[in-house]
């Protein structure tokens, strides 16, 4: 497998693997300890990158409880469009800290504000708790975003892996609540859209040693759902949802990824339903590769491609 991986992306893979090797298996230790390990392993990859004109954190009081957000602004200009970013981590790990550089990269490259969401993690917060809070946040931003100095009429949502799932689910939930026009677009970085993976994907990309193995994906999914019935709920398993009236989407696909097959399948369904979707496949990329911007030209290209798409879809007018 390593001979297929882009050499610069392999530096990221090797660095992460070496860091994890210094700790107990995070799947087998208490959750708080596992999260501390994950934060330490990912710490070097969030450092450096663009410097913001302003970064601020705020607690937003929502019906489901307070939610912390981090707002990155590349300039102090008022009325910036916004990307609401949902970090990955299998609904279980990672944070607005692990993905801080990713968010700053999008802010600087697209000239937009990026709002990171500290959504509640599983298994403590089972489906649909995080989803409902994120949807409530989008509604709050649409109604009160001017308080943060942003343009509430120009909102996009996005995320990687589990964050991509939550992004699509949020758009579905808002549509079903009669507010389909709140979001102008979805940025979906190697999203995990369904618990179902083909045998071919599991055999080729999901074995032991993969940056996301099939067994890890199952572990994360079972953390998220309350039981088997949730796995057939279209707000969790979004690949089976009615995808009509969703905002346009860009799919960033890592070629060497257990989840790579899900993005084109979702894009095809969206297009068949009359929507807009574009799929960008990055040869030699693995799950999580956009975090490797410090060492990988491929990661920087993926960030730039998405930033240009965001700029176009969040343009004034």
């Amino acid at each position: 497998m390593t001979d297929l991986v882009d050499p610069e992306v392999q530096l990221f893979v090797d660095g992460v693997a070496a860091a994890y090797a210094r700790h107990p298996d995070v799947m087998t230790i208490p959750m708080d300890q596992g999260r501390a390990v994950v934060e330490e392993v990912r710490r070097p990859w969030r450092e450096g990158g663009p410097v913001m004109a302003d970064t601020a954190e705020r607690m937003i009081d929502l019906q489901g409880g307070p939610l912390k957000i981090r707002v990155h602004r590349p300039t102090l200009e008022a009325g910036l469009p916004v990307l609401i970013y949902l970090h990955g981590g299998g609904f279980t790990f990672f944070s607005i800290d692990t993905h801080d550089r990713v968010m700053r990269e999008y802010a600087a490259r697209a000239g937009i504000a990026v709002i990171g969401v500290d959504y509640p993690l599983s298994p403590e917060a089972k489906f649909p708790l995080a989803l409902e809070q994120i949807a409530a946040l989008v509604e709050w931003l649409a109604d009160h975003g001017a308080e943060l100095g942003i343009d509430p009429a120009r909102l996009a949502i996005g995320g990687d892996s589990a964050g991509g799932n939550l992004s699509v689910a949020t758009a579905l939930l808002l549509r079903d609540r009669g507010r389909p026009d709140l979001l102008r677009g979805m940025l979906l970085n190697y999203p995990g859209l369904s618990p179902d993976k083909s045998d071919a994907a599991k055999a080729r990309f999901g074995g032991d040693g993969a940056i996301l193995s099939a067994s890890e994906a199952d572990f994360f999914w079972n953390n998220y759902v309350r039981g088997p019935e949730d796995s057939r709920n279209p707000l969790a398993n979004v690949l089976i949802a009615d995808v009509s009236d969703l905002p346009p989407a860009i799919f960033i696909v890592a070629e060497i990824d257990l989840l790579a097959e899900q993005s084109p399948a979702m894009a095809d369904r969206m297009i068949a339903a009359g929507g807009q979707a574009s799929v960008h496949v990055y040869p030699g990329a693995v799950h999580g590769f956009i975090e490797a911007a410090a060492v990988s030209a491929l990661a920087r290209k993926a960030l730039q491609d998405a930033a240009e798409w965001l700029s176009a879809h969040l343009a004034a007018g």
Side-chain angles (χ1 to χ4, degrees):
M1 182 70 69
T2 57
D3 59 333
L4 301 176
V5 179
D6 176 89
E8 292 177 337
V9 173
Q10 188 66 48
L11 295 174
F12 168 72
V13 174
D14 291 343
V16 168
Y20 274 126
R22 295 192 289 268
H23 300 279
D25 183 350
V26 297
M27 304 293 182
T28 64
I29 59 178
M31 195 60 67
D32 59 340
Q33 296 177 29
R35 288 179 181 143
V37 168
V38 168
E39 292 290 322
E40 177 61 24
V41 167
R42 281 309 210 263
R43 180 187 54 76
W45 303 100
R46 69 176 185 247
E47 296 175 346
V51 176
M52 296 288 98
D54 182 67
T55 295
E57 294 186 355
R58 177 167 173 175
M59 296 296 294
I60 306 297
D61 290 323
L62 302 169
Q63 185 173 359
L67 191 63
K68 184 171 78 173
I69 62 173
R70 179 177 296 166
V71 185
H72 288 299
R73 298 165 58 88
T75 75
L76 297 180
E77 174 187 349
L80 288 174
V82 177
L83 169 65
I84 303 157
Y85 198 80
L86 309 174
H87 64 80
F91 310 101
T92 302
F93 295 127
F94 298 164
S95 67
I96 55 176
D97 290 330
T98 58
H99 284 63
D100 191 77
R101 176 165 180 169
V102 168
M103 294 189 290
R104 288 184 283 111
E105 291 280 357
Y106 286 130
R109 291 171 183 270
I112 62 176
V114 176
I115 296 178
V117 184
D118 192 27
Y119 62 85
L121 299 177
S122 300
E124 299 92 332
K126 293 282 191 178
F127 169 84
L129 195 153
L131 168 61
E132 290 175 343
Q133 280 207 291
I134 294 162
L137 174 67
V138 176
E139 293 178 308
W140 186 92
L141 290 170
D143 297 335
H144 305 283
E147 297 176 17
L148 302 180
I150 63 171
D151 184 349
R154 291 189 288 163
L155 303 176
I157 196 166
D160 55 285
S161 196
N165 176 298
L166 289 166
S167 297
V168 177
T170 299
L172 290 167
L173 186 55
L174 292 171
R175 179 203 64 189
D176 294 346
R177 290 178 176 176
R179 306 194 76 178
D181 300 325
L182 294 189
L183 296 169
R184 285 202 183 186
M186 299 185 293
L187 164 58
L188 306 173
N189 292 316
Y190 33 85
L193 304 172
S194 171
D196 304 319
K197 294 97 179 169
S198 71
D199 290 341
K202 289 187 285 189
R204 189 173 184 195
F205 301 127
D208 292 341
I211 202 161
L212 175 67
S213 70
S215 60
E216 288 170 334
D218 290 343
F219 170 83
F220 292 139
W221 186 261
N222 290 330
N223 277 347
Y224 183 52
V225 297
R226 295 165 296 186
E229 68 282 358
D230 283 345
S231 293
R232 309 320 300 168
N233 187 319
L235 290 177
N237 184 352
V238 297
L239 195 54
I240 66 172
D242 169 10
V243 296
S244 59
D245 299 319
L246 287 182
I250 179 172
F251 293 84
I252 302 298
V253 182
E255 178 191 39
I256 306 169
D257 182 10
L258 174 68
L259 304 180
E261 64 187 2
Q262 297 188 1
S263 288
M266 186 67 160
D268 287 347
R269 294 194 66 232
M270 289 180 64
I271 292 168
Q276 301 176 40
S278 60
V279 178
H280 297 243
V281 180
Y282 296 84
V286 300
H287 195 81
F289 81 105
I290 62 166
E291 295 174 61
V295 298
S296 167
L298 194 63
R300 294 189 292 273
K301 183 180 188 309
L303 290 165
Q304 185 63 29
D305 290 344
E308 292 174 3
W309 186 92
L310 286 166
S311 295
H313 283 77
L314 292 174

